């Protein structure tokens, strides 16, 4: 597994960027670059489960490991979802279970720096390297409105 890092500088207050990241409507917009119609099922509280879903009922079940509002959010990915249900771990999911995805926001004058780190297995590296920058551009656009 490899950890990829993506960064973007956004001309918006940190509170606005945080809201764009985790508000249901804007979350659906920026994550649409990964899968059109994707959404999350969560109360967004530290320690809670979160389901990252496609409209077809596939996705990942994860845990919000750390949440520091307007600063930091960390997800630990546990396993897959199929037909809107958590699937027991198998040999394939065991390869990436425990992978982390983190979002760090740092305020700097009128800008916010967003740094995302995501653990990725080899077969998905090229996909994430191509698509994650598009997601950050979408976050920037939504935040700077």
């Amino acid at each position: 597994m490899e950890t990829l890092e993506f960064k973007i500088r956004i001309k918006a207050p940190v509170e606005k960027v945080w809201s764009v990241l985790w508000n249901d409507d804007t979350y659906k917009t920026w994550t649409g670059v990964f899968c059109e119609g994707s959404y999350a099922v969560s109360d967004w509280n530290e320690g809670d489960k979160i389901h990252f879903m496609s409209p077809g009922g596939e996705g990942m079940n994860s845990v919000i490991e750390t949440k520091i509002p307007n600063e930091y959010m960390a997800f630990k990915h546990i396993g897959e979802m199929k037909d809107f249900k958590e699937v027991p771990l198998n040999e394939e999911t065991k390869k990436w279970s425990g992978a982390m995805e983190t979002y760090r926001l740092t305020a700097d004058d009128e800008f916010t720096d967003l740094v995302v780190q995501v653990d990725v297995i080899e077969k998905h590296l090229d996909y994430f390297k191509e698509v994650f920058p598009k997601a950050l551009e979408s976050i920037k656009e939504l935040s700077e409105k």
Side-chain angles (χ1 to χ4, degrees):
M1 196 152 17
E2 190 175 320
T3 301
L4 300 178
E5 184 173 275
F6 304 95
K7 300 177 186 180
I8 196 161
R9 192 161 172 81
I10 302 169
K11 190 172 184 176
V14 70
E15 296 83 3
K16 175 82 184 275
V17 179
W18 182 266
S19 175
V20 164
L21 283 167
W22 313 123
N23 173 284
D24 279 346
D25 290 336
T26 49
Y27 177 85
K28 290 174 186 174
T29 301
W30 72 264
T31 58
V33 302
F34 298 104
C35 172
E36 191 62 41
S38 65
Y39 62 98
V41 178
S42 178
D43 290 332
W44 298 102
N45 294 315
E46 185 172 285
D48 283 359
K49 277 190 176 184
I50 182 166
H51 292 161
F52 296 102
M53 302 298 299
S54 74
E58 295 185 347
M60 283 190 304
N61 75 79
S62 306
V63 172
I64 299 174
E65 189 165 87
T66 308
K67 177 185 177 184
I68 304 169
N70 301 317
E71 285 182 39
Y72 185 76
M73 183 83 86
F75 303 105
K76 180 187 275 187
H77 301 305
I78 307 301
E80 289 185 313
M81 303 284 295
K82 292 223 191 293
D83 297 321
F84 303 98
K85 295 183 183 79
E86 294 181 13
V87 177
L89 294 181
N90 58 36
E91 289 309 309
E92 190 62 29
T93 52
K94 285 178 184 174
K95 293 177 185 173
W96 58 263
S97 185
M100 295 297 297
E101 182 175 339
T102 65
Y103 296 76
R104 183 176 304 283
L105 300 171
T106 308
D108 175 22
D109 293 326
E110 65 210 49
F111 291 91
T112 298
D113 292 316
L114 170 59
V115 178
V116 180
Q117 291 184 323
V118 58
D119 295 336
V120 180
I121 58 174
E122 189 173 339
K123 74 177 187 178
H124 296 303
L125 282 173
D126 290 340
Y127 171 76
F128 279 104
K129 285 178 181 176
E130 178 187 332
V131 178
F132 232 110
K134 294 175 184 173
L136 294 190
E137 283 298 328
S138 180
I139 294 164
K140 178 182 172 90
E141 188 178 306
L142 291 164
S143 298
E144 291 181 349
K145 279 186 180 176

